[in-house]
Structures are given as structure tokens and as C-alpha cells.
Amino acid sequence: MVGGGGVNDATLASSFDIERIRRDFPILAQTVRGKPLVFLDSGASAQKPRAVIDAMVRCMEERYANVHRGAYFLSEAATEAYEAARGAVARFLNAADPREIVFTTNSTAAINLVAHSWGRGVMQPGQAVLISELEHHANIVPWQLLRDDKGIALRVARVTDSGEIDLDDVAAKLADGKVGLVAMAHMSNVLGTVAPVERIIRMAQAAGAKVLLDGSQAAVHRRVDMQALGADFYVFTGHKLYGPTGIGVLWARLEHQERMPPFLGGGDMISMVTMERSEWAPPPAKFEAGTPPIIEAVGLHAAIDYVSAIGMPAIEAHERQLVDHAMRRLTDIDGLTLLGRAQDRGGVFAFALDNAHPHDLATLLDRAGIAVRAGRHCAEPLHSRFGVEGGTVRASFGLYTTAQEVDFLAEALTKAREFFA
Amino acid sequence: MFDDLRDLYQEVILDHGRKPRNFRRLEDADRVARGDNPMCGDRLELFLKLAPDGSIADAAFQGRGCAISTASASLLTETVKGKSQEAAHALSDQFRTLAMTGACPECGATLADEMERLQPLSGVHEFPSRVKCATLAWHTLNAALDAAPGQIKEASSE
Ligand SMILES: Cc1ncc(COP(=O)(O)O)c(C=O)c1O
């Protein structure tokens, strides 16, 4: 992960041509209700650059057939493109081997795969999974299902008032050595908090636990390096990384994949089938049953090429400036409560106004052309933790977000508060 | 910036949203139902007190929600008070038509005054994602009317 700040950030950010970048995203040119679109919901799903759209169209127009099956030109070309996407993801994550990359349909499917295959196949009753209060439902519910199915306890690490993982609580909950897996968000989709994952991984390893990181948000905003990080499982989802819907990634160490029984059974995941029994294909094919998201893999490859050409460090530096700017503008607004003030945070802000319900606020902001999300953002326990059961409004940034858009948001919020006064 | 939203957020709605009427628990309620909008976290509990003839002697609610759902529940408690259960059911059906389409051409004259009072909520029909905010209380009313005494029925506007 690239740390730093200061001069380095400034140089990186100045080489970041935001106007050119915005022109790469056709959808951003439109007006909504007569106002220029201010899209601040990239944390839910990001917009797509022309390069991704074109790559998918080209795949369908020129190189499409099912993969791994046909001994003919088109099928071989599609197989090559699909496997090239795996290679691109491996490089993006700095994985040691492309076989560590399993394609799924999204982060949710990737976490469920681990909960099913690792949780039911490798973990033992009496062990525990440790998550935290700030998780997305995708990193809560699969573990509840596992708990109910396999007698594996579910422990929840607390989040501090500033919105950070309480590491003392993590230590306490690891202390008896029963935790088999720590599963936590690398970056919160509500608080923006970036978890101190290096420390958490060290703590988990010392306690004999494996680590799954939900990188759905983090992988979009920062460079993540599997070989440096030392986790066991890492997941992210294509549509938040400027790629298409329908494709997600599970990075899993080969030694784990070897031990894990399959999740879904079907074509492509076997090496031999008789009516009595089957043998599994080697990883990662063992976990890719059925026709995979071929066109989506090509789109994800293009998205990775796109962000890599700009450079994750440059994207991170741009966002760091935006986050600082948003922090100043939002905390200036009377009556606004921001959820979480983590030291290390990314471009996601959840907040509430004292006199406007989140849904009313979102309707007003929509009138101003500003797309934000209202609700609990698939993190109900976290909203309860902060005493905001009624939800929050969330503004989340992408690499195309500008400081001016943050200003629009701040002005609209001030006016909205007057509207409801 | 938001002037054209005054149609949706008419003064009546803002007023009832801020200061909901009958916002309390009826300890001796004969009918109780809970309404829940899991998507947005809106939640309310509706209490009805019945008169000996079965008509609605008192109505009250508690809960949390946006201005629209709160105002809708508040106006509901005011308009159903004194109504027979059949009339309350009919009003609920008519109101949902109003919220979804902005008008109720079939509504007729029997509940004309009540519909007039609810008219300020008709603006939601232009905001598909907000219609369920306005209808939650009314789904809950139906559930309350259908509930057995002592039972707490659950409703949702999904
Ligand atoms: C932190 C986090 N985890 C998991 C998910 C689930 O992603 P998906 O819906 O693509 O599976 C999301 C996005 O909604 C998220 O923000």
C-alpha cells in the first residue's frame, strides 16, 4: 500500500488530468433534471469508461464463444481473453500466481464461496470467525449461515467512536486461539475507514487465524499487494472498479484452494465425471463451475488496464486531496453529523442533517442533479452502533470526482437545511 | 434551488413531518400493527382504539421515518378517527391510488373531504422511490384492521 502524502501526493495529483479523465466516462456528460450530473454514488457502483464499454462490445462483435470447450478459433480466442483477464487481475493484486485468482460474480459470491468451502470444508465446529461491527452485510450474513449450519461461533470486534476497528477488542477476541478466520473490510463502505490490515493480519497470524479481507472498497482506491500483505483471502467486485457488473474476484492462496472442497458443482470444475463420482479440476477451475462471466472478464481486464494506466498511486493522491477538501466542507455545515472520523480514510462519507431525514435529503439533492444514496448502505449493525437506525446519506467518490462537485454537495446541503428549517 | 420541490413538500407535509399529531402509544389499544420498510429503515407502530360499535374511536402512532412517511401517518390518524372499519379500509385503498397515480378518478363522493385532506401527499406519485414512504402507514392500517385483538400484525410497503 502506498502511504505518504505531502510533496509526493502533490506531484502525483498534478499529473492527474481530471478533465481528460471525465471525458473518458460517457455517462458523466449528461444532465439530470436540467443540471449537470454530480455522481456521488460510486461506492455503490462506479461508472464505466469508454475503454471498458468498447472492450466488451469488441469481445461480442469479434471474439466471442464459450471458453475452455471448443477447439476452434473463436473459442480459443475467447479462452485466451478470459485467461488474460485472470493474468491482469493477478498483476493488479500483485499475486504470486494467476491461479490464485478465482472469478466469481461479485464480492458477495466470493465471500460466500469462502464461507462455504473453507468454512464448511476446512474449519471445525468449536472454532470461531471474527468480523467487525463495520462490515457490509455481504461479510456478515454468510458467516451467520455458517454459524447456524456448522456450530462455528461468530465474534464481532467493536468499532470505536471515531469509526476505527478497536484493536484491543480484536486482541481480546483472538486471545483464546479459537478464531480460525478473521474476515474484515479493508475499507468501510460507510465510514470510509481504512483498516490497519497489516497489523490485523499480524495479530491474526500470531493467534493461528487465517485472514479474509473484503476489498470491495479498498481495491478501488488504493494499490493492494497480495505478496506484501500476507492475507489468505482477498475479495473485490468488478463493478466498483469501473468494470462491468457480474464479475468479482476471489484471491486465495493455492494451498487453501487445494484443501477447499468445491462450492458449486457443474461443468468446467471437474476433471472426470462418471455417474458414481467426479474428480475436481485443479484450482482455480475447481471453483468456477459453469460458463463464467466471459464478456465481463474482458471488461474487468479493460478496467484494470484503465486504472493502471492512470496509476493507483495517482488515483489515491487525487482522492486524498478530495477527502481533505470534503472533510473541510462537510464539517463546516451547521447541523451535520459525520459518521466516523478515522485517521486513515478514503472517499466515502456518511452523514445526517439535524432537521432532514436521509430520504428527504436524497430527494432534494437529486433535484440538484446530485446522486447520493440514503439508507443504511447494507450495514445495519453499523448504523445501530452509531445510533442512527433511520440511516444516513452517503456520498462516495470515484476517480472522476472533482472538488467542485464536493462544493456543489456542500452548498446543496446548506440550502436543504434551510428548506426544512 | 429546491423551489420546484414545494409541490412534494407542501407546508402541510413539513408541518406534520416536524410535529406529527397523535404521536404516542395507545396503552389500551384494541388493534396494533407494525409497519416496516426494510429498504430505508422506516418503521412505525399504529394503535387503534375501537368504540363499542366497532368504529375507530382513537388512532395514534409511534416510530421513525422521513417527512413524507411521518406526515402520512399523522394525517392518517386524523382522518380515520371516527370512521367505521369499512370506511377506513376504503379510504386506505383510495389513498394508495392517489399516492401511486396522483389522482383517484373512481373515488366518488363518500370520502371526498378526507381525500381532500390527504391531497398534499399526492405529489409523491412523481417520485417512484418515495411512494412507499407515503403508503407505509396505510399498509399498516390495513394490517391493524385485520389483526386479531391482542395480536401485533406486521406490514411492509415493499
Ligand atoms: C465493503 C463491501 N463489501 C461487499 C460489497 C458487496 O459487493 P457486491 O454487491 O458487488 O457483491 C460491497 C458493495 O456493495 C461493499 O461496499
Side-chain angles (χ1 to χ4, degrees), chain A residues 106-108 136 138 189 214 216-217 237 239-240:
Chain A
N106 49 35
S107 288
T108 304
H136 186 282
N189 68 315
D214 174 0
S216 305
Q217 297 291 335
T237 193
H239 66 96
K240 294 187 206 277

Side-chain angles (χ1 to χ4, degrees), chain A residues 359-360 363-364 367 389 421, chain B residues 4 9 18 40 64 67 130:
Chain A
H359 284 91
D360 297 316
T363 295
L364 257 70
R367 269 299 135 130
E389 283 84 355
Chain B
D4 54 344
Y9 291 104
R18 275 188 217 111
C40 62
R64 56 163 197 250
R130 304 302 304 278

Side-chain angles (χ1 to χ4, degrees), chain A residues 35 357 359-360 363-365 367-368 375-376 380 389-390 412 415-416 419-421, chain B residues 1-2 4-6 8-9 14 18 38 40-42 64-68 127 130:
Chain A
K35 313 248 174 32
H357 188 277
H359 284 91
D360 297 316
T363 295
L364 257 70
L365 294 175
R367 269 299 135 130
R376 290 174 294 185
E380 276 188 50
E389 283 84 355
K415 296 226 169 75
F419 183 92
F420 288 110
Chain B
M1 184 180 263
F2 304 122
D4 54 344
L5 279 174
R6 289 287 169 201
L8 177 64
Y9 291 104
L14 291 178
R18 275 188 217 111
C40 62
D42 284 5
R64 56 163 197 250
C66 61
I68 292 167
F127 299 80
R130 304 302 304 278

